[in-house]
């Protein structure tokens, strides 16, 4: 294995990486702002070690709301630190009753309903870039996650369309019906523009969504952030097992390798 630095972006409920030996913090300056990674090493069972940069997306104290996250600084910092593959986690609501809380979904498409966040690195005048987004998530990294799930014995739904809302409010029942009618499988507030920015810089990025609740109006109960945190907590073990197996897959071979 060549030297590889894995980037992990932890979503709601993911503030550390199980099995990761932490070595300290790595500050990084970008033209969009400062980012501080938790830096660590994962010792794989084949004797190889994998460098890991971990970034809790909402801050280590969950203080940054989805529409205020500095997505450009985060992705620019991962790029300048040489990270790739990158695996992100995201807590999501489900738009389908057959995707109940506790299911893990490896995203393969998104629908963008965000409105007010900086969403591109190419916003200057003088250079016009249109980035292909046909398949926004990196197939090589998705493949590593699929293999990792098999290795860890974790049940994984291997594709799903993520609807990204602006937040920070949850959806209305009508929005959830519309998103489902449009072909969405899960709904969250953060994966766009993160995935887009990674693609703009050519970084191999995939995202793992953990269903924490049924979408608004599918169940009669009002949604709360506490419910989302409780569901993340209940599934910490399987998420940790999957991320550990992901490091094992990276250590075992070509991080961009196909099946
Ligand atoms: N909607 C939006 N974001 C979410 C949800 C939801 O139902 N659950 C967890 N994150």
């Amino acid at each position: 294995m060549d030297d590889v630095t894995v980037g992990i972006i932890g979503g709601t409920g993911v503030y550390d990486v199980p099995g990761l030996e932490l070595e300290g913090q790595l500050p990084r300056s970008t033209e969009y702002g400062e980012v501080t990674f938790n830096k660590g090493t994962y010792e794989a069972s084949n004797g190889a070690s994998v460098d890991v940069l971990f970034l809790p997306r909402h801050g280590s104290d969950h203080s940054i709301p989805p529409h205020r996250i500095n997505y450009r600084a985060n992705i620019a910092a991962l790029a300048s630190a040489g990270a790739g593959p990158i695996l992100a986690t995201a807590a999501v609501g489900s738009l389908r009753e057959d995707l109940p809380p506790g299911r893990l979904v490896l995203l393969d498409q998104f629908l963008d309903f965000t409105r007010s966040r900086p969403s591109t690195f190419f916003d200057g005048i003088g250079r016009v870039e249109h980035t292909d987004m046909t398949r926004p998530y990196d197939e090589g990294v998705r493949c590593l996650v699929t293999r990792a799930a098999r290795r860890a014995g974790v049940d994984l739904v291997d594709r799903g369309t993520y609807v990204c809302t602006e937040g920070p409010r949850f959806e209305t029942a009508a929005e959830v019906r519309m998103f489902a009618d449009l072909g969405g499988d899960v709904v969250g507030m953060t994966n766009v523009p993160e995935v887009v920015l990674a693609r703009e810089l050519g970084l191999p990025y995939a995202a793992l969504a953990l269903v924490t609740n049924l979408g608004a109006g599918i169940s009669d109960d009002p949604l709360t952030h506490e419910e989302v945190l409780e569901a993340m907590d209940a599934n910490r073990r399987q998420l940790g097992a999957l991320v550990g197996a992901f490091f094992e897959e990276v250590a075992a071979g070509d991080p961009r390798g196909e099946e």
Side-chain angles (χ1 to χ4, degrees):
M1 181 189 71
D2 294 337
D3 273 359
V4 174
T5 299
V6 174
I8 301 284
I9 303 177
T12 297
V14 179
Y15 307 109
D16 56 26
V17 182
L20 189 66
E21 194 117 345
L22 272 185
E23 287 155 5
Q25 300 208 305
L26 179 73
R28 211 80 205 178
S29 232
T30 77
E31 66 173 288
Y32 305 98
E34 306 292 313
V35 175
T36 302
F37 296 111
N38 295 321
K39 188 173 162 16
T41 306
Y42 181 87
E43 303 295 343
S45 56
N46 67 356
S49 64
V50 179
D51 290 334
V52 179
L53 295 178
F54 172 66
L55 186 64
R57 187 188 286 120
H58 296 274
S60 47
D61 52 355
H62 199 97
S63 58
I64 313 170
H67 60 297
R68 301 289 300 274
I69 290 167
N70 194 341
Y71 296 97
R72 291 193 298 187
N74 291 351
I75 295 297
L78 282 164
S80 80
I86 297 168
L87 179 61
T89 75
V92 293
S94 173
L95 300 170
R96 295 173 19 194
E97 279 181 279
D98 61 344
L99 273 184
R103 294 312 305 266
L104 280 166
V105 183
L106 183 58
L107 303 176
D108 74 326
Q109 286 289 325
F110 69 75
L111 294 166
D112 180 8
F113 283 86
T114 62
R115 302 190 249 264
S116 74
R117 28 183 105 172
S119 60
T120 179
F121 287 115
F122 303 128
D123 67 346
I125 301 207
R127 178 178 174 195
V128 179
E129 285 272 350
H130 303 289
T131 306
D132 176 65
M133 211 53 59
T134 312
R135 288 186 188 79
Y137 300 90
D138 184 86
E139 280 306 318
V141 186
R142 293 184 73 257
C143 197
L144 286 172
V145 178
T146 310
R147 279 195 241 145
R150 244 181 268 140
R151 180 191 279 263
V154 167
D155 210 8
L156 179 72
V157 179
D158 67 0
R159 52 194 65 249
T161 296
Y162 179 100
V163 178
C164 197
T165 69
E166 184 62 18
R169 67 168 177 83
F170 286 120
E171 299 70 46
T172 66
E175 285 170 331
V176 162
R177 281 197 302 274
M178 175 185 76
F179 292 153
D181 285 349
L182 289 177
D185 297 305
V186 294
V187 57
M189 304 174 191
T190 56
N191 207 240
V192 181
E194 196 171 87
V195 57
V196 173
L197 294 166
R199 177 54 61 83
E200 283 187 346
L201 294 191
L203 299 178
Y205 170 105
L208 195 54
L210 193 133
V211 177
T212 54
N213 55 280
L214 291 174
I218 297 182
S219 97
D220 290 336
D221 305 329
L223 290 182
T224 64
H225 185 58
E226 284 62 42
E227 173 184 356
V228 170
L229 288 179
E230 278 164 26
M232 286 306 298
D233 225 38
N235 291 286
R236 186 173 300 281
R237 206 201 52 76
Q238 65 158 349
L239 196 58
L242 185 46
V243 173
F246 177 73
F247 294 143
E248 292 286 342
E249 288 297 333
V250 172
D254 175 3
R256 293 165 203 225
E258 303 295 320
E259 277 270 79

